[in-house]
Amino acid sequence: MAALRDARRRDRQVYTRSHPLLFALLAAVRRRPVARAGRAVLVSGTEEYREALTRIPLDRAAAGTTGGVVRELSGGGSLFDQEGGDHRNTRRAVAGDFGAAGVERLRPVWRAVLARRLAPLAAGHPVDLVPLARELAGATVRALLDTPADPSALAEAAADAAAAAVRDHLPGPRLPGTARAAAKATARLEALLADGSATPTALRAMIAVAAVNTTVAAVPRASAWCADGGLWEQAADDRLRPALVDELLRVTAPSPLLPRVAAADAVLGGCPVKAGDRLVLVARHAVGADREPPDAHRPAPPAVARLVFGAGPHACPGARLALAQLDDVLAALAPYRPTVVASRVDRRAALPGWRRLTVRATTATRPLTESPA
């Protein structure tokens, strides 16, 4: 238990050192399933969170929501702000890439990155898992979107676009130039992806933003939990690892908040909600990330753990891809039983995460010369 407390203490730093005021607000309401703060309704309860996503009509193009940011920066028409038939058609168009066959097609891409990036561990050298995650994400997106863009440039542009958009939509007064910086960053990403594909560039850009930023946030944080919390034995067990992956994504909740706006009056957990109210859906609390540490032997029910991917028709279509990537990362790291030797919080990233997370092997093992089974 002491190891898990140490792991939680380190992981809390990605919140407390990057967005301390926001974390303090969320901590203050974490035990209340629904709490109102002016025109904002903070939703932390598991069932209330699910109900907000599946039963309350939502304005998906409202300012400050994911769909609203997409529409403002790139002209709209993406998976994030569509409804009805348009949304179903768009999801159908990308379903093959995110399905089982699509994931298996992409798997050799990120496994090659893992084999090359982790080989220094066998020689006793440290490895920073943040650039590893960035390259892994960029190479995967490059293959997913079938674009000639350089993986590193693609990952950097996707990270910059997300960070600029978040800074432009944080509560309170905007700093001078934030809107211009957000638009410029998005234009640079879209320019990298404008290669004549039949898929709209705005949709391709948002797929890149989502895939890169969640991967770069989740992979180092999950690895740190394993290193600090003594979870490498679970990660090494092929039978336990899938449950551990679910658990690590639950406790890291890479997208800890989902901003939404109610499109109609409703009642949520006994709290009246008015059309136009901002709903701050706290995924971190809804899945119990702040209460229950990861444990593959006693995992949370999948119906709870998978809420980090949303719920209902707008649930993240890339869930299968995220699960497969983290499974392979843990399988590749587990033989080395790495420990964290240096860490630094990323204060500029769109999602809570590490700017540096350096690990060193504690067991001698042969370098990874082929893809993990």
Side-chain angles (χ1 to χ4, degrees):
M1 291 301 293
L4 290 173
R5 284 196 295 270
D6 290 343
R8 184 179 295 283
R9 187 177 300 113
R10 186 194 300 276
D11 195 61
R12 280 169 56 94
Q13 294 176 20
V14 301
Y15 298 98
T16 58
R17 295 187 180 180
S18 60
H19 298 94
L21 295 179
L22 177 61
F23 185 76
L25 171 64
L26 296 180
V29 301
R30 69 181 183 273
R31 300 192 186 283
R32 299 172 61 183
V34 182
R36 176 173 286 281
R39 290 299 304 273
V41 178
L42 285 78
V43 183
S44 299
T46 303
E47 292 309 315
E48 291 81 3
Y49 175 94
R50 193 195 315 275
E51 183 177 351
L53 287 172
T54 58
R55 296 186 181 179
I56 294 181
L58 301 174
D59 181 352
R60 299 193 178 275
T65 65
T66 306
V69 172
V70 174
R71 183 170 293 279
E72 181 177 336
L73 295 181
S74 62
S78 84
L79 184 65
F80 297 90
D81 64 357
Q82 292 173 334
E83 292 286 359
D86 288 342
H87 179 257
R88 286 192 295 273
N89 291 337
T90 302
R91 286 185 73 97
R92 193 176 298 118
V94 301
D97 292 328
F98 291 117
V103 169
E104 289 308 309
R105 177 180 68 83
L106 294 168
R107 214 159 198 156
V109 173
W110 70 68
R111 284 179 167 176
V113 174
L114 288 172
R116 176 168 45 81
R117 283 279 190 172
L118 294 181
L121 289 176
H125 300 301
V127 170
D128 187 346
L129 296 184
V130 174
L132 177 151
R134 191 177 297 120
E135 182 182 352
L136 183 152
T140 301
V141 168
R142 182 179 189 268
L144 173 68
L145 300 179
D146 192 22
T147 175
D150 175 75
S152 296
L154 186 58
E156 181 182 357
D160 287 347
V166 167
R167 287 194 297 273
D168 189 38
H169 289 82
L170 285 174
R174 296 185 183 185
L175 295 175
T178 54
R180 183 169 60 255
K184 183 178 179 180
T186 302
R188 181 162 68 95
L189 174 60
E190 292 189 344
L192 287 173
L193 297 172
D195 55 6
S197 170
T199 305
T201 302
L203 174 58
R204 289 158 62 81
M206 289 313 299
I207 289 174
V209 165
V212 167
N213 286 279
T214 53
T215 300
V216 174
V219 165
R221 287 180 62 194
S223 302
W225 265 100
C226 287
D228 294 335
L231 300 175
W232 288 125
E233 290 298 330
Q234 295 184 17
D237 190 322
D238 292 342
R239 297 166 300 174
L240 288 177
R241 193 168 55 251
L244 180 63
V245 168
D246 270 341
E247 283 288 276
L248 289 169
L249 288 174
R250 178 183 64 82
V251 297
T252 57
S255 297
L257 302 178
L258 301 183
R260 299 291 186 266
V261 170
D265 293 352
V267 176
L268 187 61
C271 177
V273 176
K274 298 293 184 182
D277 279 350
R278 184 170 301 279
L279 302 177
V280 182
L281 309 182
V282 190
R284 170 179 163 81
H285 295 168
V287 299
D290 59 319
R291 300 186 301 274
E292 299 296 332
D295 187 350
H297 293 288
R298 291 175 291 277
V304 173
R306 299 289 175 89
L307 286 176
V308 295
F309 296 110
H314 286 268
C316 175
R320 186 191 297 269
L321 179 63
L323 293 165
Q325 282 188 330
L326 185 54
D327 190 289
D328 282 352
V329 169
L330 298 183
L333 281 169
Y336 297 102
R337 303 299 195 272
T339 186
V340 177
V341 296
S343 61
R344 181 182 177 189
V345 171
D346 193 336
R347 300 175 187 270
R348 297 182 66 255
L351 299 176
W354 298 105
R355 185 175 183 83
R356 178 178 61 173
L357 197 289
T358 305
V359 300
R360 189 187 297 274
T362 61
T363 61
T365 186
R366 292 181 300 173
L368 187 65
T369 56
E370 59 184 28
S371 299

